[in-house]
Amino acid sequence: HGQCPSSPCALPRIPHDPSTPREPVRAHSQPVRLKRASVVPDSSRHWRVSAKKRTSTRTVAMPNLVHHVHGKKRVRVARTWREGDVHHFVEWMVQVSIESDMEHAYKTASNKGMTTTDTTKNQCYVVAKKMAHRCSPEEYVMTLGQQFLDCYPLISAVEVSLEEKPWTRTSVKGQPHDHGYSMQGPCTRTAQAVVRRGAAAQVTSGMLEFKVLKTTQSGYEGFFTDKHTSLKETKERILATSLNVQWTYGVGPVACYNKCYDQVTETLKELFFGPPKGGVYSPSVQYTLYQMGTAVVERVAEVQQVTMNAPNIHFIPMNVPGMPPFNDDIYVATSEPHGDITATVSKDQIFQAVSKL
């Protein structure tokens, strides 16, 4: 192909000297045969590319199994501890992920040494039975993880997590019932443990959908606006969210996980709502989350880091035609679309990701 004369890469045209005879253009009597390189696999599973007068070796990445886990999800375990006439009840949704020396099960037709997901499910009930005395969710997930390491030598690590249904002891005529429960708790409690051979268990506690709301003492103003901004500044609004919270523990032993859970819950409530009389003003969800997280790591000695996710539950002022104007009284309740705000507060200056397999 010719090049554009205006191209910087175009070669200058050289004028022909009339005194020099032109060489005639001759066609090849035989077609030009191009040598095709040969490509053959060598013993190292790399490809060797070779051609006459030229040999080069090129390494081509081969597909490889770089990570694998197996386990069981949504194992529903219920447990009753009978202490005389008073019974204590829990319901857990358990999930187990196993890391093991089972690469051959993926690469060959052999299942030798495989701990089946059915066995995994059954171990959840075996360990629940072994917990003869009332235990916290954290104690259960650590014990279950260790059970897999003790029973199956090919397993190197286990991640066990659970969600606890909010069953709470019911009261009749103002008295706690011996064996009656109702599901009216504020949220779902969570616990997780990653157990590895030769290492201490890494425990994470938390809660899901801890719904909190206050009808006043909240505002939002001073934010950036442009032609696409429809949100109006306000010093008076409903603040509501469905908190998802996770916290990790320091190096030392935890005497009572249940106590830590109660302390974290009470601290979150106190910093969100403020004093019973008058409350506390919140200039933004971000500011309030930081205050809550700071109080948790300062007041609960065992907690190392806390992460709070706060999806907004919106209550939009509603002006009904033909009725008096809005007076902080009538709202449209909606949760979609919603803002989503997350903050992590740590005793240290370093963010630590929650341990996972």
PDB file of all heavy atoms in Angstrom, residues 132-153:
ATOM      1  N   ALA A 132     -23.229 -29.651  75.698  1.00  0.00           N
ATOM      2  CA  ALA A 132     -24.171 -30.078  76.740  1.00  0.00           C
ATOM      3  C   ALA A 132     -24.711 -28.915  77.560  1.00  0.00           C
ATOM      4  O   ALA A 132     -25.792 -29.018  78.146  1.00  0.00           O
ATOM      5  CB  ALA A 132     -23.497 -31.094  77.655  1.00  0.00           C
ATOM      6  N   HIS A 133     -23.971 -27.833  77.603  1.00  0.00           N
ATOM      7  CA  HIS A 133     -24.399 -26.664  78.370  1.00  0.00           C
ATOM      8  C   HIS A 133     -24.593 -25.485  77.426  1.00  0.00           C
ATOM      9  O   HIS A 133     -24.010 -25.428  76.345  1.00  0.00           O
ATOM     10  CB  HIS A 133     -23.367 -26.327  79.448  1.00  0.00           C
ATOM     11  CG  HIS A 133     -23.098 -27.457  80.398  1.00  0.00           C
ATOM     12  ND1 HIS A 133     -23.972 -27.818  81.394  1.00  0.00           N
ATOM     13  CD2 HIS A 133     -22.038 -28.317  80.496  1.00  0.00           C
ATOM     14  CE1 HIS A 133     -23.487 -28.854  82.068  1.00  0.00           C
ATOM     15  NE2 HIS A 133     -22.305 -29.168  81.548  1.00  0.00           N
ATOM     16  N   ARG A 134     -25.418 -24.539  77.866  1.00  0.00           N
ATOM     17  CA  ARG A 134     -25.675 -23.366  77.035  1.00  0.00           C
ATOM     18  C   ARG A 134     -24.370 -22.732  76.561  1.00  0.00           C
ATOM     19  O   ARG A 134     -23.422 -22.591  77.330  1.00  0.00           O
ATOM     20  CB  ARG A 134     -26.470 -22.334  77.831  1.00  0.00           C
ATOM     21  CG  ARG A 134     -27.958 -22.554  77.826  1.00  0.00           C
ATOM     22  CD  ARG A 134     -28.646 -21.382  78.485  1.00  0.00           C
ATOM     23  NE  ARG A 134     -28.444 -21.346  79.939  1.00  0.00           N
ATOM     24  CZ  ARG A 134     -28.619 -20.277  80.691  1.00  0.00           C
ATOM     25  NH1 ARG A 134     -28.946 -19.116  80.132  1.00  0.00           N
ATOM     26  NH2 ARG A 134     -28.451 -20.332  81.999  1.00  0.00           N
ATOM     27  N   CYS A 135     -24.349 -22.362  75.290  1.00  0.00           N
ATOM     28  CA  CYS A 135     -23.134 -21.764  74.723  1.00  0.00           C
ATOM     29  C   CYS A 135     -23.528 -20.591  73.838  1.00  0.00           C
ATOM     30  O   CYS A 135     -24.672 -20.470  73.391  1.00  0.00           O
ATOM     31  CB  CYS A 135     -22.341 -22.795  73.918  1.00  0.00           C
ATOM     32  SG  CYS A 135     -23.157 -23.327  72.395  1.00  0.00           S
ATOM     33  N   SER A 136     -22.570 -19.741  73.577  1.00  0.00           N
ATOM     34  CA  SER A 136     -22.775 -18.618  72.668  1.00  0.00           C
ATOM     35  C   SER A 136     -22.627 -19.114  71.229  1.00  0.00           C
ATOM     36  O   SER A 136     -22.039 -20.173  70.975  1.00  0.00           O
ATOM     37  CB  SER A 136     -21.741 -17.526  72.945  1.00  0.00           C
ATOM     38  OG  SER A 136     -20.439 -17.983  72.605  1.00  0.00           O
ATOM     39  N   PRO A 137     -23.140 -18.358  70.262  1.00  0.00           N
ATOM     40  CA  PRO A 137     -22.906 -18.728  68.858  1.00  0.00           C
ATOM     41  C   PRO A 137     -21.425 -18.808  68.511  1.00  0.00           C
ATOM     42  O   PRO A 137     -21.009 -19.669  67.737  1.00  0.00           O
ATOM     43  CB  PRO A 137     -23.598 -17.601  68.085  1.00  0.00           C
ATOM     44  CG  PRO A 137     -24.617 -17.055  69.012  1.00  0.00           C
ATOM     45  CD  PRO A 137     -24.020 -17.182  70.389  1.00  0.00           C
ATOM     46  N   GLU A 138     -20.618 -17.919  69.093  1.00  0.00           N
ATOM     47  CA  GLU A 138     -19.180 -17.928  68.808  1.00  0.00           C
ATOM     48  C   GLU A 138     -18.524 -19.213  69.296  1.00  0.00           C
ATOM     49  O   GLU A 138     -17.661 -19.796  68.613  1.00  0.00           O
ATOM     50  CB  GLU A 138     -18.512 -16.713  69.459  1.00  0.00           C
ATOM     51  CG  GLU A 138     -18.860 -15.375  68.822  1.00  0.00           C
ATOM     52  CD  GLU A 138     -20.184 -14.792  69.306  1.00  0.00           C
ATOM     53  OE1 GLU A 138     -20.856 -15.434  70.158  1.00  0.00           O
ATOM     54  OE2 GLU A 138     -20.560 -13.704  68.845  1.00  0.00           O
ATOM     55  N   GLU A 139     -18.909 -19.685  70.476  1.00  0.00           N
ATOM     56  CA  GLU A 139     -18.351 -20.935  70.998  1.00  0.00           C
ATOM     57  C   GLU A 139     -18.748 -22.117  70.114  1.00  0.00           C
ATOM     58  O   GLU A 139     -17.951 -23.028  69.885  1.00  0.00           O
ATOM     59  CB  GLU A 139     -18.822 -21.150  72.437  1.00  0.00           C
ATOM     60  CG  GLU A 139     -18.211 -20.171  73.427  1.00  0.00           C
ATOM     61  CD  GLU A 139     -18.904 -20.194  74.782  1.00  0.00           C
ATOM     62  OE1 GLU A 139     -20.160 -20.306  74.820  1.00  0.00           O
ATOM     63  OE2 GLU A 139     -18.200 -20.079  75.799  1.00  0.00           O
ATOM     64  N   TYR A 140     -19.968 -22.086  69.605  1.00  0.00           N
ATOM     65  CA  TYR A 140     -20.425 -23.177  68.736  1.00  0.00           C
ATOM     66  C   TYR A 140     -19.629 -23.217  67.432  1.00  0.00           C
ATOM     67  O   TYR A 140     -19.155 -24.278  67.016  1.00  0.00           O
ATOM     68  CB  TYR A 140     -21.919 -23.037  68.451  1.00  0.00           C
ATOM     69  CG  TYR A 140     -22.417 -24.013  67.412  1.00  0.00           C
ATOM     70  CD1 TYR A 140     -22.677 -25.341  67.729  1.00  0.00           C
ATOM     71  CD2 TYR A 140     -22.621 -23.601  66.095  1.00  0.00           C
ATOM     72  CE1 TYR A 140     -23.127 -26.240  66.770  1.00  0.00           C
ATOM     73  CE2 TYR A 140     -23.072 -24.486  65.127  1.00  0.00           C
ATOM     74  CZ  TYR A 140     -23.327 -25.803  65.471  1.00  0.00           C
ATOM     75  OH  TYR A 140     -23.763 -26.691  64.511  1.00  0.00           O
ATOM     76  N   VAL A 141     -19.468 -22.070  66.739  1.00  0.00           N
ATOM     77  CA  VAL A 141     -18.782 -22.097  65.448  1.00  0.00           C
ATOM     78  C   VAL A 141     -17.318 -22.469  65.608  1.00  0.00           C
ATOM     79  O   VAL A 141     -16.744 -23.156  64.751  1.00  0.00           O
ATOM     80  CB  VAL A 141     -18.938 -20.749  64.705  1.00  0.00           C
ATOM     81  CG1 VAL A 141     -20.387 -20.512  64.325  1.00  0.00           C
ATOM     82  CG2 VAL A 141     -18.389 -19.576  65.499  1.00  0.00           C
ATOM     83  N   MET A 142     -16.669 -22.058  66.700  1.00  0.00           N
ATOM     84  CA  MET A 142     -15.276 -22.468  66.928  1.00  0.00           C
ATOM     85  C   MET A 142     -15.178 -23.966  67.167  1.00  0.00           C
ATOM     86  O   MET A 142     -14.296 -24.645  66.626  1.00  0.00           O
ATOM     87  CB  MET A 142     -14.688 -21.700  68.116  1.00  0.00           C
ATOM     88  CG  MET A 142     -14.307 -20.263  67.810  1.00  0.00           C
ATOM     89  SD  MET A 142     -13.320 -19.523  69.141  1.00  0.00           S
ATOM     90  CE  MET A 142     -14.546 -19.399  70.443  1.00  0.00           C
ATOM     91  N   THR A 143     -16.092 -24.510  67.975  1.00  0.00           N
ATOM     92  CA  THR A 143     -16.075 -25.941  68.270  1.00  0.00           C
ATOM     93  C   THR A 143     -16.362 -26.761  67.014  1.00  0.00           C
ATOM     94  O   THR A 143     -15.725 -27.795  66.775  1.00  0.00           O
ATOM     95  CB  THR A 143     -17.112 -26.277  69.364  1.00  0.00           C
ATOM     96  OG1 THR A 143     -16.846 -25.485  70.520  1.00  0.00           O
ATOM     97  CG2 THR A 143     -17.052 -27.750  69.738  1.00  0.00           C
ATOM     98  N   LEU A 144     -17.298 -26.319  66.198  1.00  0.00           N
ATOM     99  CA  LEU A 144     -17.615 -27.033  64.957  1.00  0.00           C
ATOM    100  C   LEU A 144     -16.435 -27.007  63.992  1.00  0.00           C
ATOM    101  O   LEU A 144     -16.091 -28.026  63.377  1.00  0.00           O
ATOM    102  CB  LEU A 144     -18.849 -26.412  64.305  1.00  0.00           C
ATOM    103  CG  LEU A 144     -19.316 -27.040  62.987  1.00  0.00           C
ATOM    104  CD1 LEU A 144     -19.558 -28.536  63.131  1.00  0.00           C
ATOM    105  CD2 LEU A 144     -20.583 -26.340  62.487  1.00  0.00           C
ATOM    106  N   GLY A 145     -15.788 -25.855  63.864  1.00  0.00           N
ATOM    107  CA  GLY A 145     -14.610 -25.791  62.999  1.00  0.00           C
ATOM    108  C   GLY A 145     -13.515 -26.726  63.454  1.00  0.00           C
ATOM    109  O   GLY A 145     -12.890 -27.440  62.648  1.00  0.00           O
ATOM    110  N   GLN A 146     -13.253 -26.789  64.769  1.00  0.00           N
ATOM    111  CA  GLN A 146     -12.225 -27.677  65.298  1.00  0.00           C
ATOM    112  C   GLN A 146     -12.604 -29.138  65.103  1.00  0.00           C
ATOM    113  O   GLN A 146     -11.732 -29.993  64.886  1.00  0.00           O
ATOM    114  CB  GLN A 146     -12.000 -27.386  66.774  1.00  0.00           C
ATOM    115  CG  GLN A 146     -10.771 -28.067  67.361  1.00  0.00           C
ATOM    116  CD  GLN A 146      -9.481 -27.649  66.690  1.00  0.00           C
ATOM    117  OE1 GLN A 146      -9.226 -26.464  66.502  1.00  0.00           O
ATOM    118  NE2 GLN A 146      -8.661 -28.631  66.303  1.00  0.00           N
ATOM    119  N   GLN A 147     -13.898 -29.438  65.138  1.00  0.00           N
ATOM    120  CA  GLN A 147     -14.359 -30.810  64.932  1.00  0.00           C
ATOM    121  C   GLN A 147     -13.940 -31.339  63.561  1.00  0.00           C
ATOM    122  O   GLN A 147     -13.504 -32.487  63.431  1.00  0.00           O
ATOM    123  CB  GLN A 147     -15.889 -30.865  65.062  1.00  0.00           C
ATOM    124  CG  GLN A 147     -16.513 -32.207  64.737  1.00  0.00           C
ATOM    125  CD  GLN A 147     -16.588 -33.136  65.935  1.00  0.00           C
ATOM    126  OE1 GLN A 147     -15.968 -32.871  66.973  1.00  0.00           O
ATOM    127  NE2 GLN A 147     -17.325 -34.210  65.800  1.00  0.00           N
ATOM    128  N   PHE A 148     -14.025 -30.515  62.553  1.00  0.00           N
ATOM    129  CA  PHE A 148     -13.612 -30.944  61.216  1.00  0.00           C
ATOM    130  C   PHE A 148     -12.110 -31.201  61.152  1.00  0.00           C
ATOM    131  O   PHE A 148     -11.661 -32.168  60.531  1.00  0.00           O
ATOM    132  CB  PHE A 148     -14.023 -29.899  60.174  1.00  0.00           C
ATOM    133  CG  PHE A 148     -15.485 -29.915  59.841  1.00  0.00           C
ATOM    134  CD1 PHE A 148     -16.346 -28.999  60.419  1.00  0.00           C
ATOM    135  CD2 PHE A 148     -16.004 -30.844  58.959  1.00  0.00           C
ATOM    136  CE1 PHE A 148     -17.699 -29.009  60.118  1.00  0.00           C
ATOM    137  CE2 PHE A 148     -17.361 -30.871  58.660  1.00  0.00           C
ATOM    138  CZ  PHE A 148     -18.208 -29.953  59.237  1.00  0.00           C
ATOM    139  N   LEU A 149     -11.313 -30.336  61.771  1.00  0.00           N
ATOM    140  CA  LEU A 149      -9.862 -30.541  61.771  1.00  0.00           C
ATOM    141  C   LEU A 149      -9.494 -31.808  62.524  1.00  0.00           C
ATOM    142  O   LEU A 149      -8.568 -32.533  62.140  1.00  0.00           O
ATOM    143  CB  LEU A 149      -9.158 -29.332  62.380  1.00  0.00           C
ATOM    144  CG  LEU A 149      -9.307 -27.994  61.650  1.00  0.00           C
ATOM    145  CD1 LEU A 149      -8.453 -26.936  62.335  1.00  0.00           C
ATOM    146  CD2 LEU A 149      -8.939 -28.105  60.180  1.00  0.00           C
ATOM    147  N   ASP A 150     -10.196 -32.099  63.620  1.00  0.00           N
ATOM    148  CA  ASP A 150      -9.888 -33.277  64.422  1.00  0.00           C
ATOM    149  C   ASP A 150     -10.283 -34.579  63.724  1.00  0.00           C
ATOM    150  O   ASP A 150      -9.624 -35.607  63.902  1.00  0.00           O
ATOM    151  CB  ASP A 150     -10.596 -33.199  65.784  1.00  0.00           C
ATOM    152  CG  ASP A 150     -10.065 -32.075  66.656  1.00  0.00           C
ATOM    153  OD1 ASP A 150      -8.941 -31.594  66.379  1.00  0.00           O
ATOM    154  OD2 ASP A 150     -10.762 -31.677  67.605  1.00  0.00           O
ATOM    155  N   CYS A 151     -11.330 -34.538  62.941  1.00  0.00           N
ATOM    156  CA  CYS A 151     -11.870 -35.770  62.347  1.00  0.00           C
ATOM    157  C   CYS A 151     -11.327 -36.082  60.956  1.00  0.00           C
ATOM    158  O   CYS A 151     -11.305 -37.253  60.559  1.00  0.00           O
ATOM    159  CB  CYS A 151     -13.393 -35.690  62.277  1.00  0.00           C
ATOM    160  SG  CYS A 151     -14.222 -35.660  63.878  1.00  0.00           S
ATOM    161  N   TYR A 152     -10.893 -35.071  60.213  1.00  0.00           N
ATOM    162  CA  TYR A 152     -10.563 -35.289  58.805  1.00  0.00           C
ATOM    163  C   TYR A 152      -9.187 -34.693  58.493  1.00  0.00           C
ATOM    164  O   TYR A 152      -9.043 -33.476  58.377  1.00  0.00           O
ATOM    165  CB  TYR A 152     -11.634 -34.665  57.915  1.00  0.00           C
ATOM    166  CG  TYR A 152     -13.031 -35.078  58.328  1.00  0.00           C
ATOM    167  CD1 TYR A 152     -13.904 -34.166  58.918  1.00  0.00           C
ATOM    168  CD2 TYR A 152     -13.461 -36.394  58.169  1.00  0.00           C
ATOM    169  CE1 TYR A 152     -15.175 -34.546  59.314  1.00  0.00           C
ATOM    170  CE2 TYR A 152     -14.723 -36.790  58.563  1.00  0.00           C
ATOM    171  CZ  TYR A 152     -15.575 -35.864  59.139  1.00  0.00           C
ATOM    172  OH  TYR A 152     -16.836 -36.245  59.547  1.00  0.00           O
ATOM    173  N   PRO A 153      -8.164 -35.540  58.359  1.00  0.00           N
ATOM    174  CA  PRO A 153      -6.785 -35.053  58.210  1.00  0.00           C
ATOM    175  C   PRO A 153      -6.529 -34.288  56.919  1.00  0.00           C
ATOM    176  O   PRO A 153      -5.577 -33.505  56.859  1.00  0.00           O
ATOM    177  CB  PRO A 153      -5.948 -36.342  58.259  1.00  0.00           C
ATOM    178  CG  PRO A 153      -6.898 -37.442  57.904  1.00  0.00           C
ATOM    179  CD  PRO A 153      -8.222 -37.019  58.426  1.00  0.00           C
TER     180      PRO A 153
END
